[in-house]
Amino acid sequence: MGKIVYTCPYVPAEWVAAHGLVPSRVMVRTAGTSPAVGPKEGVCPYVRGFVDEVMSRNDVSGIVMTTVCDQMRRAFDIVVGRSKLPAFLMNVPNTWRSVAAQRLYVDELRRLSRFLVGLGGSAVSNGELAKVMLDYDTARSSLLAKRELMSGRQFAEMVAAFNMDGPGAVSANVAGCSAAPRGVPLAAVGGPMMAEDLDMFDVIEESGGRIVLDATESGERGICQRFDRRSIGDDPVTELAEAYFGGIQDASRRPNSGLYQWLKQHFEERGVRGVVLHRYVWCDMWHAELARLREWTDLPVLDVGVTGDCEADKHRAANQIGAFLEMLQ
Amino acid sequence: MTGVVRQISLDEWDRQYESLQRAGARRPGYVGPLGRHVQDGDRGLVRLRFDNSPAALRLWNFLLTEEDRLRQARTEGKKIVGAMKDLGTVPVMAYSLDNVVAFYPDGAWWIPCVMELSAGLLGIADSLGIDESFCPVRAMLGAFVTEAHFPIPDLLSCSVGATCDDFSAIAQRLNGLGYPIFWWEIPHRRSPEPGETAIELPGGFVAPQSQIEFVKSELQRVAAALEELAGQSLDEAKLAVGIERANQVRDCLAELRLLAFTAEVCPIPALEMLIAEMLTIHFCSDQNESLAVLQELLEEVKSRVAAGVGLLGPDAARIFWVNPVADLQVMNLLEECGARICGTEYLFSHALDKIPEDVPPLEALAQTALADPMVGSAADRARRICADIRRFGAEAVLVSRIPGASHCALEGEVIRQVVADELDIAVLEIEVPPLTDSMCPALMTRLQALVETVRERRKK
Ligand code: SF4
Ligand code: SF4
């Protein structure tokens, strides 16, 4: 079966799977180095890493990218220009309050469906979609239920495994979790993390902290909301759109007030005492939120800017995190 | 027509202004010596060289007195719309109402250059967490906070979706500071798929009818917000008249561009042409007067072309310029290096193209908004650039990168590749920050090298 790779949380895995294809939301391993993306300066390391990763793979049938941020939208041009793989750019609106924006998202799912069928996928039936949605929902619930038993890295890797390989990856791994670290409860907030960035969670725990909320795009914040199981039977497409487009709160939304409501609720529920903002240099979306986050919350906020130069980033972050936790303890 | 066509300094202009006055020339009330704007803080003007025609004097004065017009409009009880990002569409709608004026807060882009950073707007943006990793449009934040450069609009609209991250993030920051914003969506323009109705947009791009319908529905929301603000309806008849008036300005500019870019001898400097193009975006807060200003400039250019006079000789290198410059002085450098502008794509070509008049008004405006070169792929934009290069006969392309701009890092290579594939002409990329004084020698060297390349190629 053909594998469809993507990285944006607004692409529903269930939709791809219901076409009989294999959805694989990649966690980028490392910042890319390919000259195809142009000069390093000015380009988000995650975008660079994603382009490198998808262009170097030979187990892929198609790529799906979205318009959520300008850099990814433009990186699509590069992927199309340099790779022979079929690629699809999905329009995910930044506005979300109008009915037209919600309708556009659903229309784009239908357009994506035509692309997937063109790659050998089968036409989607409501019955098959509902079944896949239930499977995914169950797996997500059991993953989230075990969150408290996992370290920051374990949880992030589990989410990444689920995103990459589907529900099977959760049932196989969740059973082994039993001991979460203790420490100052922190939230990690930001865009997506690369696999190499997960070292940050280890450093936090080694320095006396504990991630109680992974509000990065590759963590809990990038997981769609739970489905209303009664609605799945009646109109699974609408329910899917509601859970993804209506349920994932991101810095890129206009306005992005929903992100702050989501954070407020989760900070309170989890007793968060400090916030670590993980952002890539040249990511305007998250960079611009730093000052706002600091104005908005009474909690201390640590800014961890990642350049993609792994060793230097690690060293700098370790010093920053150590000092931050010393202050909080 | 002006006697000898020259570029002159601000001091020379002020002396020339006195002679014009003595000669009894009748000019609109806002026209005065350019030096007064320097006293008002626009210190960067002293670094520029200006075309020496009275038409250019009027153009500059019109540009530099926009704030006065906006404040006057407020005094007269008119509503002020701050249209953000769409560059060219919302103002056409706003000026269809007789009690609304619209402007682009985005124009604060040039304040650090014109005021030589003295306004401190970039420092304010820094203090709000928007540092130099963002595009110079961040100066807009400072302009809102100081309230010293434009009145705070009664309604702020902002197009988002397929726009740059810089602007979207900065507008969100503004929103977070307590300024309400009416957001509307402009989707990424895509190619029609098999079975979809394809529509050719102004300027030549193609989009599926379904996207036009979507944008039309977004503009309907904008129209409703404008109606509420104005307290009057914005019906099809009013919009049609508004489009007709906007097209008069666009037609005039189109004629001006064609003459300026194709005349044997360059009839008007690059800098004045940049300002002229900017007028079509929002009419500098007075639609009728912007037309009159452009018409006078067009008459001047026509008479220069007829007389075969202008700047530089017929052998000037013919350059197509991509992206606006944050420091206006760089446009002067081009001529100092022996080159002239023969075609531009300053990110808002869709604001120059004629708005269709043979379809319902909102549909026409939706087509215009979707024709924005920045909402489609960089390859599309590059192909439009190639078409205009052929039309205007440019011999090289200069892409001026905008520091911090999210689109620049990724699109430069795409543009270079498409231009190389289609035309085999030289492409040079430079970066232009808001103040280039210390970099001028290096920039000159690079521009001169481009001019040399053009001359060498002519010999082949
Ligand atoms: S981290 Fe920022 S720039 Fe990078 S892909 Fe995500 S939103 Fe885009
Ligand atoms: S110059 Fe570029 S980055 Fe800056 S606001 Fe305009 S389109 Fe956006």
Side-chain angles (χ1 to χ4, degrees), chain B residues 359-376:
Chain B
V359 293
L362 273 185
E363 174 143 358
L365 289 167
Q367 289 189 18
T368 297
L370 260 181
D372 182 339
M374 301 305 287
V375 309

Side-chain angles (χ1 to χ4, degrees), chain B residues 85 87 109 135-137 164 166-167 324 347 374 402 404-408:
Chain B
K85 196 66 206 96
L87 298 182
W109 215 81
C135 146
V137 81
C164 59
D166 299 71
F167 203 96
L347 306 167
M374 301 305 287
I402 300 155
S406 64
H407 51 93
C408 281

